[in-house]
């Protein structure tokens, strides 16, 4: 059942706003909705997308795919859709479908890649599609097959397999999964993948790559990228990003054998100056906020040029958690936020509102749907702050549809301090994202509830929610809180030259009542008066 639709969200016109009037989320829709008939197992998840940049007049075209399997799908495959309006709408039916034309096996875990330069006999702009080919449930033979297209995805032909195995026992723990591609500075085409085969040598799973000097016709010797020989660590699901300083960043999950997957699949980042050398013994750095919230499961990393010299790294993951492996607490903003970092992955990350919400989030215990939010891709604009996101979203059968949405990165992120020369922070009470939490003054610290995003739609957000006037009131002394973003006037704010935060609907300013600066003082709105109790230092881009 196909439903490639888009819902354009209204853009508010805020004449007095200091910022653009575009909504933070600007368009959204469903790429494919599987059958939800009783007993159906049809699934559309694990999406991927690319923007053509080396295809002449076709540059700017977007292509997307997902792993399509279950009822009505004889063999799992990758249907390819096209958008010519930057992801606002997509073709209602696939322009092509990538299938295993070599063995007739199922294809799982897709990736798409465009060659930025000629590789062997393949010209620049050639598209690669790849995934794990196998018969579902049969672990005796697998291959990471690579297919190529020289006509913008209209047709595909088999090129090679960058990894394969045959004659294996029909048991788990020797699979090859989750390919991704990049081109190294020396021109080598690199195929990254997750490899369970070294489990016989006390590596539970490794991240590895092979390289090609002839455009993927043949591949060299396998090299480990993340590998811990303790028969516990299980790094997997790598995504690779080229950074503006010429280095490379890799995000991945590190699961652990013997643990409940919902309790130990932390997300990491590591960087390297060489796409073919990653210091395999190093796990890199956990992607986490200043107050030690971190992502769990199936990350996808992207880079946006917005946000300053270093741009902005954006990463998705299935859940936000806190604690230690085996004793993790799932945070309520899970499925509602992404993580961002403006320092090439170094230091703390900050939560921002996601473009596609996944609620419930994907999980691996009884009764949970694994596909929701599983490896949700992000595609940043070539210039500007917009980005496109796709994600598997839970449907009634326990499977997933593929949804998409475009959004803008925040104008600025960080602490809002004041009032006046008082160096307190605007803070979310209890440091949680629950709707109705008071917004208060508090001593500045590491809390995520003191990290605010100034958005392009005129809202100011913490976690996934908005700075809100209680009850959408307009009178003096109306209190402010954290609440779900819903487009009301009580969630619109303007940073003015006198450092006030002005709410146009009420004509009043954010105010510290009676100049009380004790921790826990709930803020309010009040007639704008130019006093220090209404002066706030906001983050800058």
């Amino acid at each position: 059942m196909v439903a490639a639709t888009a819902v354009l969200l209204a853009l508010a016109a805020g004449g007095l706003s200091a910022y653009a009037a575009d909504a933070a989320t600007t368009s959204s829709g469903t790429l494919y909705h599987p059958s939800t008939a009783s007993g159906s197992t049809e699934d559309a998840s694990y999406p991927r997308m690319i923007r053509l940049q080396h295809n002449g007049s076709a540059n700017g075209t977007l292509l997307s795919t997902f792993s399509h399997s279950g009822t009505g799908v004889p063999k799992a495959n990758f249907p390819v859709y096209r958008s010519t309006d930057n992801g606002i709408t997509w073709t209602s039916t696939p322009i092509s479908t990538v299938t295993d034309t070599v063995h007739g096996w199922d294809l799982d875990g897709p990736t798409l890649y465009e060659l930025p330069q000629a590789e062997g006999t393949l010209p620049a702009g050639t598209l690669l599609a790849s995934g794990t080919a196998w018969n579902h449930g049969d672990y005796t033979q697998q291959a990471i097959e690579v297919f190529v297209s020289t006509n913008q995805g209209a047709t595909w032909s088999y090129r090679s397999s960058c990894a394969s195995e045959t004659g294996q026992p029909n048991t788990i723990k020797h699979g090859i999964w989750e390919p991704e591609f990049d081109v190294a500075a020396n021109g080598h085409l690199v195929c990254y993948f997750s490899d369970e085969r070294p489990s016989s040598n006390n590596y539970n799973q490794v991240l590895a790559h092979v390289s090609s000097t002839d455009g993927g016709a043949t591949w060299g010797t396998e090299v480990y990228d993340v590998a811990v020989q303790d028969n516990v660590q299980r790094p997997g699901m790598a995504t690779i990003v080229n950074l503006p300083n010429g280095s490379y960043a890799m995000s991945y999950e590190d699961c652990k054998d013997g643990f409940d997957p919902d309790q130990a699949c932390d997300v990491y980042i590591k960087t390297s100056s060489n796409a073919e050398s990653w210091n395999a013994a190093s796990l890199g750095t956990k992607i986490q906020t200043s107050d030690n919230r971190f992502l769990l499961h199936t990350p996808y990393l992207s880079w946006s040029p917005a946000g300053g010299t270093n741009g902005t790294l954006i990463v998705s993951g299935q859940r936000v958690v806190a604690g230690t492996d085996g004793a993790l607490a799932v945070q309520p903003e899970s499925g509602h936020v992404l993580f961002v970092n403006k320092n090439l992955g170094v230091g703390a990350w900050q939560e921002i509102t996601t473009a596609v919400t996944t609620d419930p989030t994907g999980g691996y215990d009884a009764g949970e749907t694994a596909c929701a939010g599983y490896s949700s891709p992000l595609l940043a604009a070539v210039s500007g702050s917009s980005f496109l996101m796709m994600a598997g979203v839970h449907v009634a059968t326990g499977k997933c549809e593929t949804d998409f949405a475009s959004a803008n990165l925040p104008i600025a992120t960080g602490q809002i301090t004041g009032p006046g020369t008082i160096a307190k922070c605007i803070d979310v009470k209890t440091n949680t994202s629950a709707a109705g939490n008071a917004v208060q003054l508090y001593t500045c610290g590491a809390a995520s509830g003191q990290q605010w995003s100034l958005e392009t739609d005129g809202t100011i957000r913490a976690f996934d929610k908005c700075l809100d006037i209680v009850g959408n009131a307009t009178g003096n002394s109306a209190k402010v809180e954290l609440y779900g973003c819903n487009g009301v006037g009580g969630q619109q704010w303007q940073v003015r030259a006198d450092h006030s935060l002005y709410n146009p609907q009420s004509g009043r300013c954010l105010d510290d009542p009676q100049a009380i600066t004790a921790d826990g003082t709930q803020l309010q709105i009040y007639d704008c008066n130019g006093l220090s109790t209404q002066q706030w230092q906001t983050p800058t881009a």
Side-chain angles (χ1 to χ4, degrees):
M1 183 183 300
V2 175
T5 60
V7 180
L8 297 182
L9 305 181
L11 304 182
L16 294 175
S17 176
Y19 304 117
D22 294 341
T25 299
T26 55
S27 64
S28 61
T30 298
L31 182 68
Y32 187 87
H33 180 74
S35 170
T36 53
S38 178
S40 175
T41 62
E42 188 184 12
D43 183 65
S45 59
Y46 203 125
R48 285 294 183 265
M49 56 185 168
I50 57 170
R51 176 183 292 107
L52 303 189
Q53 295 180 274
H54 307 279
N55 268 274
S57 61
N59 284 351
T61 297
L62 305 187
L63 298 179
S64 67
T65 191
F66 52 83
S67 188
H68 190 202
S69 63
T71 302
V73 185
K75 284 293 180 181
N77 57 64
F78 307 151
V80 179
Y81 294 79
R82 179 171 56 214
S83 172
T84 56
D85 56 10
N86 210 32
I88 296 174
T89 61
W90 296 83
T91 51
S92 59
T93 57
I95 64 168
S96 63
T97 300
V98 182
T99 61
D100 179 7
T101 55
V102 181
H103 308 98
W105 297 344
D106 296 290
L107 282 177
D108 286 335
T111 193
L112 294 172
Y113 184 74
E114 182 191 30
L115 292 182
Q117 61 189 46
E119 293 285 338
T121 60
L122 300 177
T126 298
L127 305 183
L128 308 183
S130 182
T132 296
W134 67 312
N135 284 313
H136 285 170
D138 178 3
Y139 294 88
T140 62
Q141 49 192 356
Q142 290 183 325
I144 294 181
E145 294 183 346
V146 183
F147 300 86
V148 298
S149 173
T150 55
N151 53 10
Q152 294 91 49
T155 59
W156 300 86
S157 61
Y158 175 74
R159 179 69 169 175
S160 65
S161 293
C162 67
S164 62
E165 62 177 356
T166 188
Q168 299 297 310
N170 193 19
T171 57
I172 61 173
K173 292 199 173 182
H174 55 82
I176 42 179
W177 317 98
E178 304 148 3
E180 293 289 335
F181 294 95
D182 203 352
V183 170
N186 60 9
H188 293 175
L189 176 62
V190 186
C191 175
Y192 301 91
F193 56 97
S194 303
D195 192 350
E196 293 179 304
R197 294 173 298 180
S199 62
S200 60
N201 195 26
N202 290 324
Y203 293 98
N204 194 267
Q205 180 171 275
V206 303
L207 286 172
H209 74 264
V210 291
S211 297
S212 175
T213 59
D214 56 11
T218 61
W219 299 91
T221 303
E222 181 175 356
V223 177
Y224 292 171
D225 299 318
V226 186
V228 182
Q229 200 172 14
D230 63 0
N231 208 28
V232 175
Q233 310 290 330
R234 187 178 170 82
M237 304 204 71
T239 54
I240 313 298
V241 165
N242 294 12
L243 297 177
N245 63 358
S247 63
Y248 305 83
M250 172 190 291
S251 68
Y252 67 94
E253 65 176 19
D254 181 37
C255 299
K256 295 173 178 64
D257 192 50
F259 282 76
D260 177 347
D262 283 346
Q263 287 291 321
C265 278
D266 310 350
V267 172
Y268 284 80
I269 186 171
K270 62 189 302 187
T271 59
S272 175
S273 61
N274 185 340
E276 297 175 288
S277 179
W278 290 88
N279 184 14
S282 170
L283 288 175
T285 305
K286 191 181 294 186
I287 292 178
Q288 60 186 356
T289 64
S290 56
D291 58 354
N292 300 318
R293 299 165 193 251
F294 54 94
L295 291 171
L296 198 70
H297 293 306
T298 68
Y300 191 98
L301 184 68
S302 183
W303 180 83
S304 166
T309 303
N310 293 328
T312 301
L313 284 170
I314 321 168
V315 65
S316 63
Q318 282 186 299
R319 290 181 174 174
V320 180
V321 296
T324 58
D325 289 341
L328 298 177
V330 178
Q331 301 302 296
E333 67 267 28
S334 294
H336 295 258
V337 297
L338 304 169
F339 279 29
V340 295
N341 177 285
K342 297 180 181 179
N343 194 32
L344 302 178
V346 177
W349 294 65
Q350 183 176 338
E351 297 180 11
I352 65 168
T353 306
T354 188
V356 178
T357 297
T358 54
D359 189 0
T361 58
Y364 303 88
D365 289 340
E368 294 181 315
T369 298
C371 60
Y374 193 97
S375 193
S376 302
L378 304 158
L379 182 64
V382 175
S383 62
S385 64
S386 67
F387 67 95
L388 179 65
M389 179 179 179
M390 285 189 170
V393 175
H394 177 270
V395 295
T397 56
K399 300 299 182 179
C400 284
E401 67 182 24
T402 290
D403 288 354
F404 62 89
S406 295
N408 291 313
L409 288 170
I411 297 164
T413 57
Q415 293 177 328
I416 301 176
T417 60
T421 59
I422 305 299
K424 291 288 181 82
C425 274
I426 295 182
D427 173 277
V428 179
K429 188 174 183 178
T430 74
N431 195 31
T432 66
S433 65
N437 276 348
V439 173
Q440 60 186 11
L441 280 182
Y442 210 84
T443 300
C444 294
S448 288
Q450 294 180 354
Q451 295 290 320
W452 296 90
S453 298
L454 278 60
E455 300 282 352
T456 57
D457 63 353
T459 61
I460 298 176
R461 305 187 188 196
F463 304 109
D464 60 316
K465 293 185 172 64
C466 280
L467 178 64
D468 174 271
I469 301 170
V470 174
N472 202 31
T474 59
N476 277 335
S477 303
K479 301 300 184 184
V480 294
E481 64 181 357
L482 193 71
Y483 203 78
C485 301
N486 54 23
V488 300
Q491 295 179 351
Q492 289 291 305
W493 303 93
Q494 297 166 6
V495 180
R496 302 203 297 186
D498 63 356
H499 296 289
S500 63
L501 285 172
Y502 176 73
N503 172 246
Q505 175 175 271
S506 65
R508 294 183 165 86
C509 287
L510 186 68
D511 179 88
D512 171 27
Q514 300 177 0
I516 298 171
T517 59
D519 283 354
T521 300
Q522 187 171 5
L523 301 178
Q524 63 180 18
I525 57 169
Y526 205 81
D527 289 336
C528 300
N529 53 34
L531 297 177
S532 63
T533 53
Q534 295 181 356
Q535 294 175 351
W536 308 97
Q537 302 301 315
T538 55
T540 56

